[in-house]
């Protein structure tokens, strides 16, 4: 049976990216060697890093003066690298969920953290809009897409201080005005590449102003200077990322990803709103297009497991909600075809008819 991959992360990648990666694992560029057994400094690997960086810059229209870094450590390591490199005395954070909270916890090790607003009291079902960022904050940090709670802020905020964003789960799903940020980072395993790769877009002249000594590996300057080759970067995931960026470009770039994301999200949210068995959990204006969260309607509450089993039997994978929300979560990343969303909708309609 055809599987429809709604995993939240690691998650679906375009089939051709997986096939080309598989080919490179067997024989990289006809070299007789696997990509798993070549040096990151090999002369036929450097062009891969260069192309991946170039495609990042092209697809996101990154202005001059920024570096694109490929690191290890996950987005979670960025939770400490960001304040290590940018927080002199005070930083402002928007608390929109689990990942934001983790970022806040790390920042507190480096200085004062002002939580400008939080939707914790409402189990993060919305993104607070009514807040002010202190004008003396070194930066403002927010999570653009809350993977767990299914909310998303798609507007580049203008708050009067430098902006940093965790875009782990919606990078390359839409155009972003990178010039509004000093740093954008994320784990690649949601919408870009296999696990093991962390991307960082950093404004070069924003680095180096805290006055503190930063451990070499946690200093952005190290990786800017070394072109992500200070130590061994995740070779194979970078290769897959490069292939995926080629795929995005061939499909029509982030504009086309944006269109598709909207189309898929409109389809699924309309069904959630129409179907008597289900309700969405996120406030309508803040609904994520990447992670679509819904639960059983109160009068059908006891059917939760039945629907999960029903959907699983129909080929749906990864639709169980995160434990902090319950119910269901359908992650609709770039590589998820519209047909998979339609298959889930068909499932929901069939289930409704049975009850
Ligand atoms: C998954 C995720 C993270 C954590 O990423 P790791 O690479 O596992 O450290 C951080 N932020 C967001 C928004 C995420 O979705």
């Amino acid at each position: 049976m055809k599987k429809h991959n709604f995993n939240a992360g690691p998650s679906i990648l375009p089939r051709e990216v997986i096939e080309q990666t598989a080919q490179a694992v067997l024989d990289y560029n006809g070299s007789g060697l696997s990509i798993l057994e070549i040096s990151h400094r090999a002369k036929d690997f450097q062009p891969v890093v260069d192309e991946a960086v170039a495609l990042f810059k092209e697809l996101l229209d990154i202005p001059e003066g920024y570096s694109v870094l490929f690191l290890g450590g996950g987005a979670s390591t960025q939770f400490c690298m960001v304040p290590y490199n940018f927080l002199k005395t005070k930083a402002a954070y928007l608390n929109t969920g689990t990942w934001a909270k983790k970022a806040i916890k790390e920042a507190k090790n480096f200085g004062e953290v002002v939580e400008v607003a939080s939707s914790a009291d409402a189990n993060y079902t919305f993104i607070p809009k009514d807040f002010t960022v202190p004008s003396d904050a070194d930066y403002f940090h927010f999570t653009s897409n809350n993977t767990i709670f299914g909310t998303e802020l798609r507007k580049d905020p203008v708050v009067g201080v430098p902006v940093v964003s965790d875009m782990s789960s919606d990078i390359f799903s839409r155009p972003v005005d990178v010039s509004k940020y000093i740093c954008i980072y994320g784990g690649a395993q949601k919408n870009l590449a296999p696990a093991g790769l962390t991307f960082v877009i950093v404004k070069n002249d924003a680095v180096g102003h805290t006055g503190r000594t930063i451990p070499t590996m946690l200093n952005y300057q190290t990786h800017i200077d070394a072109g992500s080759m200070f130590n061994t970067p995740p070779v194979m995931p970078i290769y897959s990322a490069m292939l995926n960026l080629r795929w995005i470009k061939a499909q029509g770039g982030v504009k086309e990803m944006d269109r598709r994301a909207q189309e898929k999200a409109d389809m699924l949210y309309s069904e959630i709103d129409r179907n008597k068995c289900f309700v969405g959990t996120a406030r309508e204006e803040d609904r994520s297009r990447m992670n679509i969260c819904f639960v059983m309607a109160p009068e059908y509450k006891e059917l939760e497991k039945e629907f999960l089993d029903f959907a699983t039997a129909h080929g749906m994978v990864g639709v169980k909600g995160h434990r902090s929300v319950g119910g269901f979560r359908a992650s609709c990343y770039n590589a998820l075809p519209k047909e998979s969303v339609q298959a889930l909708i068909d499932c929901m309609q069939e289930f409704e008819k049975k009850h």
Side-chain angles (χ1 to χ4, degrees), residues 73-77 79 99 143 145-147 166 168-169 187-190 198:
S76 300
T77 300
F79 295 163
W99 299 115
T143 316
N145 182 68
N146 297 281
T147 322
D166 173 358
S168 292
S169 49
Q189 70 276 18
K190 309 286 163 53
T198 311

Side-chain angles (χ1 to χ4, degrees), residues 238-350:
I238 291 174
Y239 184 67
S240 301
M242 184 277 285
L243 294 173
N244 194 23
L245 293 168
R246 277 187 187 166
W247 179 85
I248 293 170
K249 183 176 170 178
Q251 301 297 306
V254 288
K255 257 195 158 141
E256 174 62 11
M257 296 299 117
D258 193 23
R259 189 196 66 73
R260 292 183 191 180
Q262 192 61 46
E263 182 179 35
K264 289 182 283 184
D266 285 345
M267 284 166 64
L268 187 48
Y269 281 121
S270 314
E271 177 58 22
I272 292 167
D273 293 342
R274 186 210 60 77
N275 193 309
K276 69 177 198 281
C277 296
F278 305 99
V279 281
T281 55
R283 195 187 278 181
E284 224 166 295
E285 76 254 27
D286 297 326
R287 283 173 162 180
S288 167
R289 303 187 308 191
M290 298 287 104
N291 312 96
I292 297 181
C293 295
F294 55 104
V295 295
M296 302 305 303
E299 55 276 40
Y300 296 96
K301 189 77 204 131
E302 73 287 355
L303 296 179
E304 182 170 311
K305 184 171 179 310
E306 191 181 321
F307 178 69
L308 190 63
D309 292 343
F310 183 79
T312 306
H314 284 76
M316 306 303 135
V317 175
V319 291
K320 190 176 175 14
H322 188 277
R323 64 188 179 280
S324 19
V325 180
F328 314 99
R329 170 175 55 174
S331 297
C332 301
Y333 296 122
N334 285 345
L336 185 86
K338 194 165 90 174
E339 292 67 37
S340 289
V341 176
Q342 190 56 52
L344 176 58
I345 291 170
D346 292 345
C347 243
M348 294 163 77
Q349 295 183 344
E350 225 182 291

Side-chain angles (χ1 to χ4, degrees), residues 79-144:
F79 295 163
C80 93
M81 276 178 80
V82 163
Y84 227 146
N85 284 268
F86 299 127
L87 201 167
K88 286 188 283 265
T89 52
K90 184 194 284 185
Y93 278 69
L94 183 61
N95 182 3
T96 54
T98 308
W99 299 115
K101 239 168 60 183
K102 290 189 177 185
I104 290 168
K105 176 166 179 276
E106 293 303 309
K108 285 182 174 163
N109 292 319
F110 299 91
E112 187 189 341
V113 174
V114 181
E115 193 178 293
V116 294
S118 167
S119 49
D121 288 349
N123 200 31
Y124 298 115
T125 45
F126 70 98
I127 294 184
K129 317 242 170 12
D130 205 15
F131 57 82
T132 42
V133 173
S135 58
D136 59 346
D138 297 318
Y139 63 87
F140 167 68
H141 177 285
F142 76 105
T143 316
S144 59

